[in-house]
Amino acid sequence: MEHAPSHFTPGGLGFALGLTLMAGLATGLGSALALFARRTNLRLLAWSLAFSAGAMLCVSFMEILPKANASLARSFGSSFAGWLTALGFVAGAVAMALIDALLPHHEPPADDALQRLKAPGRATVLPTGEQRLLRRMGLFTALAVAIHNFPEGVATLLAALEDPRTGVAMAFAVALHNIPEGVSVSAPIFYATGSRGRAFVYSFVSGLTEPLGGLFAALTLDWLLPPHAVGLVFASVAGVMVYVSLHELVPTARQYGHRHEVLAGIAAGVVLMAASLLLLH
């Protein structure tokens, strides 16, 4: 099997792994913002989720899919490459849907629980049943975030090795949506247990699967995948990112914010990511 050894030069590999680490640590940043701010601003959380969705949609369609198609075209020709790109995109979205179907799901917090998230300072003492619900919600969210982050780490590392500019754009988009993910893990655990430390640890650990995914790719995928398979990985990652944006980020943003604020956040994410991609060309 042929390989592309230039992808795995020590300097390039270190840079790529650094990007996956940065993206993963953004989950802990979101946790810290949630736990140490005086108030949890749900409208800001909604806007951040929508902004992340816009950034991820933009980088998927403007950067990752064209890169996937170009990579596949070098091996299969432009016509067949288009079909393979579409197939990889659908496969990524379907794989993420299957992962979601296998994960245990929680009910969103009730309106009174959402109002408690707005309370300043220490956690309110909640009824035992509600504490259990919030703790369960936080643990399931941490599990979901950890599972989602692993393939994102694989994709970010491969993107950075293929083209550092693409890797930076992808890591930036992933980090943006990891920040509100950190909030979503830490807030319910904090309000269920009253422990900032425990909430931060769960959130931080769930983000570490991002660099673990990158490390896994660095250690194994160079031996398992031929060079043209990187294009298929890119296409499937675009499918994953679009699925996460439309199935998770946008609906959750709508839950916590007003419709026009969510639309404004999506538009801002698209504009900022598009501008950054154009400036990096």
Side-chain angles (χ1 to χ4, degrees):
M1 182 182 293
E2 292 185 14
H3 301 289
S6 62
H7 284 187
F8 286 81
T9 60
L13 183 58
F15 175 74
L17 286 172
L19 288 179
T20 66
L21 180 62
M22 178 206 73
L25 291 179
T27 307
L29 175 61
S31 175
L33 291 174
L35 297 179
F36 295 105
R38 283 183 59 83
R39 296 175 70 88
T40 300
N41 189 330
L42 294 183
R43 294 177 66 182
L44 178 59
L45 173 59
W47 192 89
S48 300
L49 290 165
F51 182 91
S52 302
M56 291 179 69
L57 290 170
C58 181
V59 77
S60 296
F61 289 114
M62 278 190 65
E63 187 73 10
I64 301 175
L65 280 177
K67 286 285 185 185
N69 190 73
S71 176
L72 292 168
R74 289 194 291 268
S75 299
F76 300 103
S78 59
S79 178
F80 192 47
W83 286 98
L84 288 175
T85 301
L87 178 63
F89 178 85
V90 172
V94 170
M96 189 54 64
L98 290 174
I99 289 174
D100 269 350
L102 294 173
L103 284 175
H105 285 76
H106 58 76
E107 294 297 322
D111 289 341
D112 58 341
L114 290 180
Q115 292 304 317
R116 284 191 182 93
L117 292 177
K118 299 177 181 179
R122 301 163 50 198
T124 306
V125 178
L126 304 178
T128 302
E130 195 168 324
Q131 286 182 14
R132 272 198 224 101
L133 175 63
L134 286 172
R135 187 184 300 113
R136 178 182 173 87
M137 183 177 74
L139 292 175
F140 285 164
T141 303
L143 176 62
V145 167
I147 291 174
H148 290 166
N149 281 353
F150 189 87
E152 287 175 354
V154 173
T156 301
L157 181 123
L158 291 177
L161 293 176
E162 178 75 12
D163 181 352
R165 183 177 62 86
T166 302
V168 169
M170 185 182 294
F172 178 66
V174 170
L176 282 176
H177 95 266
N178 279 353
I179 291 174
E181 280 184 350
V183 175
S184 70
V185 172
S186 62
I189 292 177
F190 172 54
Y191 279 86
T193 66
S195 170
R196 294 179 187 273
R198 186 181 303 178
F200 178 80
V201 166
Y202 276 108
S203 178
F204 182 79
V205 169
S206 69
L208 290 182
T209 56
E210 192 100 32
L212 285 178
L215 186 61
F216 170 81
L219 294 176
T220 63
L221 294 187
D222 190 37
W223 303 101
L224 299 177
L225 293 181
H228 61 261
V230 173
L232 284 173
V233 172
F234 279 8
S236 64
V237 166
V240 168
M241 294 179 78
V242 170
Y243 178 90
V244 170
S245 297
L246 299 181
H247 182 71
E248 297 181 15
L249 299 181
V250 173
T252 306
R254 287 289 304 273
Q255 178 185 345
Y256 292 118
H258 300 299
R259 180 179 60 185
H260 42 279
E261 293 172 341
V262 172
L263 291 174
I266 293 172
V270 169
V271 169
L272 181 61
M273 181 55 67
S276 67
L277 291 174
L278 292 172
L279 289 172
L280 287 170
H281 270 290

